[in-house]
Amino acid sequence: MSHAVSAGHDERAAAVVATGVTRVFRDGAREVHALAAVDLRVAAGEFVSLIGPSGCGKSTLLRLIADLDTPTSGTLAVFGRSPREARLARDYGIAFQQAGLLPWRTVRANVELPLALAGVGRGGRRERADELLHLVGLTDFSDHHPDQLSGGMQQRVAIARALAESPSLLLMDEPFGALDEMTREHLQSQLLRIAAETKAAVVFVTHSIPEAAFLSDRVVVMSARPGRIRTAVPVSLDRAVAGAGPDAADELRNAPAFFEAVATVREALRGGHGDALGVDAP
Amino acid sequence: MKGVARQVLPPVILLVALVALWQAAVAAWRIPAFVLPGPAAIGEQFRTYAGPIGSAAAVTGRNAAIGLIVGAVLGILLAVVAALVRSIDVLAEPLVAALSVVPIVALAPVLYSMYGAASEQARVIVAALAVFVPVYVNTLRGLRQVRPVHRDLMRSLAARPAQVARTVTVPTAVPFVFTGLRLASSLAVISAIVAEYFGGPRSGIGSFITTAAAGSNYAQAWAYVLGGIAVGLVFYGATSVAEHLVARRSGP
């Protein structure tokens, strides 16, 4: 609570502010420190990836932001409110590693689910679902059931569902983790385009270094047991072109800045020291 | 249509062949009627007693139907309560386990003395008890099948408990409820018929089977058995149709 958080910024505008967040799981007499004193600030519209070895608490941190779990100590703010208030106000959209679609509903009905729960009328739901399905390129599949779609398509439906209420924060827990490399790169480009179009801040959990470097304004590198933030690597790529097409995205993946970021993140993941590493590290 | 014919035709041909074989065996080896009457004799008795068999089937079917509905409603309601209140689940678990190993038709004679020999009540209760167990067990299991990712999703969407129940919990449980109901529908008919063996009014399929067999009218007893099979098939068919209708709208 005594931690100074990026002085000079308007704190209310920040999408996420975590201050000294700790999460301890109790397994009988044993205590597992999933997160230890994590400080993190995600600005509005910023794309931040959380990367680290399994067990580093990156998913735990995401669940805390989403109010699917509560911190043992420390404070969290989502757009200046508590995570609980933010959840009840539906400030964020979330996508999980499993698409988690309701198999008995059509693709359209799955995308409409958040709107239906919020009490949006039939016409409004329909119109918004059409927009979203167009955005993720699944207009022709709106009347299919999830089991008729490939894994990549299901994940796109899940992203459309997360965007249903036009959230200014998108939480994503390894959404492309179970997909093949081709589909993955394709969806990454689409996600960049969507993030640019919606101007939403994104907190993206991943264990893929290239994925984190390609997508993020900033890659937050975490270490395990106890889970803490080791360093944050800023990545400057001209992502505005990434949505233009596969060629533009490939070009971005061949840019020196991209390789540099990949190398820096890899180095940070490997190095056991807590010191911050700059982008100019080898 | 061609697919249906391919599915339906082979078992029908097999059935006709078996019946023909049965008739031929009975005729060839002159098997006495008390061992096994021929299908022709049974069919003849079935036609002669079509009226009484029909009304007996109606009585047994009514007992089984009321038992099925009462047992299923109780099973589903109690499963919902047990899913909501952990302590009730803990309390009910050993009772249901005990109930599931009790040969429930064994209660019939006791119930006849409770409700009087002229009452159908005992048979309905036996059927309801037999139905209750599989419906309760399967419904409770179904209500517990909500996937963690769906639970997280509904929480992230700030869904109210009633919305969670309607959009996730119930649709997840429905196929399990129908597994229970399919088991229960045949149990209801079996229990209603067997309960009649132990006494009560001479009204249903079971009572007439015992009466006919005791009077050495073997072909007639078999004709009533045929009636019992018909009741069982009607119940199975009705449950399957209901499952099909519901599953199309909400099942996974």
Side-chain angles (χ1 to χ4, degrees), chain B residues 129-223:
Chain B
L129 281 173
V131 163
F132 172 82
V133 175
V135 172
Y136 173 85
V137 169
N138 282 285
T139 304
L140 187 55
R141 185 178 304 156
L143 290 170
R144 297 249 166 83
Q145 297 296 315
V146 173
R147 290 171 57 201
V149 66
H150 288 157
R151 208 175 299 129
D152 283 348
L153 174 74
M154 296 312 277
R155 184 172 159 84
S156 79
L157 293 171
R160 293 187 299 275
Q163 291 179 318
V164 178
R166 202 179 58 231
T167 41
V168 173
T169 318
V170 170
T172 305
V174 161
F176 290 82
V177 176
F178 272 102
T179 303
L181 284 177
R182 222 180 315 120
L183 287 169
S185 68
S186 46
L187 275 180
V189 177
I190 293 167
S191 312
I193 292 178
V194 175
E196 292 172 14
Y197 293 166
F198 295 101
R202 222 170 67 94
S203 53
I205 289 280
S207 351
F208 284 108
I209 293 173
T210 41
T211 315
S216 303
N217 300 315
Y218 303 110
Q220 194 188 336
W222 277 89

Side-chain angles (χ1 to χ4, degrees), chain A residues 63 67-69 87-88 90 92 94 96 98-105 113-114 116-118 161 165, chain B residues 147 149-160 163-164 166-169 171-172 249-252:
Chain A
R63 292 179 65 82
D67 189 41
L68 297 176
D69 191 6
R87 175 174 65 82
L88 293 178
R90 298 181 167 102
Y92 69 81
I94 190 164
F96 304 95
Q98 299 168 293
L101 304 177
L102 302 181
W104 49 85
R105 287 180 162 234
L113 175 70
L117 293 178
R161 180 180 63 190
E165 294 180 279
Chain B
R147 290 171 57 201
V149 66
H150 288 157
R151 208 175 299 129
D152 283 348
L153 174 74
M154 296 312 277
R155 184 172 159 84
S156 79
L157 293 171
R160 293 187 299 275
Q163 291 179 318
V164 178
R166 202 179 58 231
T167 41
V168 173
T169 318
T172 305
R249 282 190 293 149
S250 82

